Amino acid sequence: MDKLLIRGRERLSGTIPISGSKNAVLPMMAASLLTRGLTTIRNVPDLVDVHTMSNVLRIIGAKVVFEDNVLQIDTETFNYPEAPYDLVRKMRATYYVLAPLLAHMKKAKVSLPGGCVIGPRPVDQHIKALEALGARIRLEKGYIIADAEELHGCEIFFDLVSVGATAQAMMAATLAKGDTILENVAKEPEVVALAQFLSSMGAKIKGAGSDIIEIKGVEQLQPTDFTNIPDRIETGTYMAAAVITGSRLTLEGADQKNIKTIIRKMREVGATVKTVKNGIEVAGPSVIKPTDIHTHPFPAFPTDMQAQMMAILSVADGRSVITEGIYPERFSHAPELCRLGAQIVIEDNKALVTGVHKLEGASVMASDLRASAALVLAGLVADGETEILRVYHIDRGYEKIEEKLAAVGAQMKRIKEGDDET
Ligand code: UD1
């Protein structure tokens, strides 16, 4: 398995290009199954998760070509409505194919996603929504098996705010007969991007980005050519790199309107953030101030930035409290940060972080995607060398991270499995 080596305490400077959003493109890829023909998606990040979703689409029978960050999905002849366990277990979001397959082919068999290191992640709201739209669903031998003669419009009130369930219901309702009203939906920018993608296919959707989404079912959708939005979590992570190293970075292509809460918190810890032509500029402070973080659905502070924020607060001048409001167990990065010298105590869904003057490089283990990003950030500011093992987690969600950071001055390299380190 590859590993990353980082020699810390380098000042960074320059421009980092922001890639397309991982979490926006995955449901769009699944949504291409709502029609037949050639769909093109631009600004697609070259990530393991995108390749995993491509493989799921190939198994279903689509032809998928990915080149120069452009994805072409030809669904002219797809005919196999199944997503098997050995692909779904690699990435939860592959279950997004459930609703498009059901809506278009009237049946689907998709493996249940299984365990997840960030804690339990049930799919009851997905099932509730699809059943309300008229699907018959049964769980059998680890699979969700769904069929419907016809999906019909309905009103759904989600018991909790879920990005995945909102996306799933929205996709299914586009081809349902009649009108659907979804209440208590997720307002994340990725949900809005999916609504725009579906609208470009001919769907009739109103209200994405608010608490209520209304969908007028149409007979059929058309293939589309769509440009993906920038990745707000990648943007936040590189903002964190500037802050933790006290450096100035320009993040090219970043969309500041989707990261207001992240910008606010970066300012609270002492950063200067300003909008520049085609992006944002972040300058880290000489002394990082402590702050409290509470993660919640958008527009509150995102859980996907919690680990990176913990890395920053580990070297703040004082004590911070991080409360995880979405995944109460999402703290696997805390013990690894402590191996680098951080002082973090976990109590239920809270992390009490006492800032230390410096971190010391050590060997650490990446346990999930955003946890790995936190370890990279800590490595950038730690004394000496930090070795991050199991970096395949980071390849799921950060396009060319070591190249992007090395280009702005980080001493960071990848050791490929089997390579000699010297
Ligand atoms: C998406 C993101 C993930 C992010 C998360 C929360 C993708 C591919 N992933 O995941 O990076 O961390 O949003 O912003 O976009 N829940 C239920 N029942 C359900 C569905 C969800 O109880 O049927 C709970 C979950 O356990 C969690 C909360 O609802 O506590 C929010 O989860 P959800 O918004 O669905 O996350 P995902 O869509 O899986």
Side-chain angles (χ1 to χ4, degrees):
M1 264 179 253
D2 293 1
K3 58 186 177 187
L4 288 175
L5 288 184
I6 304 174
R7 185 160 286 283
R9 304 201 71 79
E10 293 293 335
R11 194 56 74 86
L12 310 180
S13 143
T15 299
I16 297 183
I18 297 302
S19 297
S21 163
K22 167 180 91 71
N23 285 354
V25 83
L26 295 173
M28 289 177 197
M29 291 173 73
S32 69
L33 296 170
L34 285 164
T35 185
R36 291 203 182 267
L38 184 66
T39 285
T40 302
I41 313 176
R42 300 173 195 277
N43 195 27
V44 177
D46 188 355
L47 299 173
V48 170
D49 276 9
V50 168
H51 298 301
T52 304
M53 184 60 109
S54 300
N55 287 337
V56 169
L57 297 181
R58 288 186 184 111
I59 286 209
I60 290 167
K63 296 187 183 80
V64 185
V65 178
F66 183 60
E67 220 173 60
D68 295 335
N69 297 104
V70 178
L71 193 59
Q72 295 203 297
I73 306 169
D74 184 353
T75 57
E76 197 58 65
T77 55
F78 81 90
N79 56 6
Y80 182 71
E82 278 195 38
Y85 177 62
D86 55 329
L87 281 176
V88 175
R89 79 185 160 79
K90 288 190 184 162
M91 180 189 66
R92 242 184 104 74
T94 49
Y95 66 50
Y96 273 138
V97 297
L98 178 61
L101 286 175
L102 181 66
H104 191 158
M105 293 188 77
K106 305 286 179 260
K107 59 182 177 180
K109 180 176 173 188
V110 175
S111 172
L112 277 164
C116 181
V117 73
I118 68 177
R121 297 172 79 179
V123 289
D124 55 301
Q125 298 301 305
H126 301 235
I127 292 174
K128 166 180 159 162
L130 296 178
E131 282 181 337
L133 283 156
R136 279 182 299 269
I137 295 190
R138 58 185 208 280
L139 302 180
E140 212 176 274
K141 295 184 182 162
Y143 278 79
I144 306 176
I145 302 174
D147 71 282
E149 274 106 53
E150 180 182 85
L151 296 180
H152 49 75
C154 63
E155 287 185 17
I156 299 165
F157 187 94
F158 290 103
D159 301 323
L160 51 84
V161 175
S162 159
V163 174
T166 303
Q168 201 91 257
M170 213 160 62
M171 290 190 280
T174 55
L175 290 180
K177 201 176 166 71
D179 297 350
T180 299
I181 298 180
L182 307 175
E183 288 192 65
N184 197 25
V185 293
K187 300 190 280 265
E188 268 67 0
E190 294 76 21
V191 169
V192 177
L194 176 63
Q196 287 164 347
F197 178 84
L198 292 168
S199 299
S200 75
M201 294 174 84
K204 302 269 175 260
I205 303 179
K206 274 198 328 206
S210 74
D211 290 312
I212 301 179
I213 297 179
E214 292 174 49
I215 302 154
K216 219 176 241 314
V218 294
E219 293 259 308
Q220 56 177 27
L221 297 172
Q222 296 86 44
T224 184
D225 186 327
F226 191 84
T227 300
N228 185 25
I229 60 171
D231 196 304
R232 67 190 166 104
I233 304 302
E234 191 200 26
T235 307
T237 303
Y238 291 130
M239 290 174 82
V243 169
I244 204 166
T245 58
S247 307
R248 183 183 300 271
L249 289 175
T250 301
L251 308 180
E252 190 182 60
D255 182 354
Q256 56 94 26
K257 79 172 182 306
N258 288 338
I259 51 169
K260 285 187 182 151
T261 324
I262 300 175
I263 292 177
R264 216 168 283 136
K265 280 294 161 188
M266 295 300 175
R267 285 185 175 140
E268 270 177 39
V269 301
T272 309
V273 183
K274 61 180 190 198
T275 308
V276 291
K277 192 168 162 254
N278 194 24
I280 58 172
E281 188 186 271
V282 190
S286 49
V287 176
I288 295 174
K289 292 186 244 172
T291 190
D292 293 340
I293 302 281
H294 201 147
T295 69
H296 268 306
F298 192 85
F301 194 85
T303 173
D304 288 351
M305 273 299 296
Q306 180 257 105
Q308 300 88 315
M309 212 62 211
M310 190 182 288
I312 291 179
L313 297 174
S314 295
V315 288
D317 186 24
R319 204 154 180 260
S320 310
V321 179
I322 299 177
T323 308
E324 178 49 64
I326 296 184
Y327 300 111
E329 299 167 23
R330 189 178 199 174
F331 289 125
S332 64
H333 39 285
E336 298 301 307
L337 289 171
C338 290
R339 285 177 58 76
L340 298 172
Q343 287 188 15
I344 304 163
V345 177
I346 305 296
E347 282 176 10
D348 302 321
N349 70 333
K350 287 189 191 316
L352 315 175
V353 186
T354 307
V356 295
H357 289 299
K358 65 175 187 174
L359 299 175
E360 298 270 7
S363 273
V364 287
M365 188 88 81
S367 53
D368 76 50
L369 169 55
R370 306 305 169 185
S372 337
L375 298 178
V376 168
L377 293 169
L380 289 177
V381 80
D383 266 354
E385 193 166 79
T386 298
E387 176 188 56
I388 306 178
L389 307 172
R390 293 202 187 157
V391 295
Y392 59 85
H393 288 294
I394 210 157
D395 296 332
R396 288 190 40 220
Y398 291 91
E399 186 176 39
K400 302 189 180 88
I401 187 167
E402 71 276 16
E403 283 178 36
K404 288 188 183 187
L405 284 170
V408 292
Q411 292 289 318
M412 178 172 176
K413 63 179 179 189
R414 177 181 295 251
I415 307 293
K416 293 244 175 229
E417 189 179 8
D419 279 3
D420 195 331
E421 279 177 35
T422 51

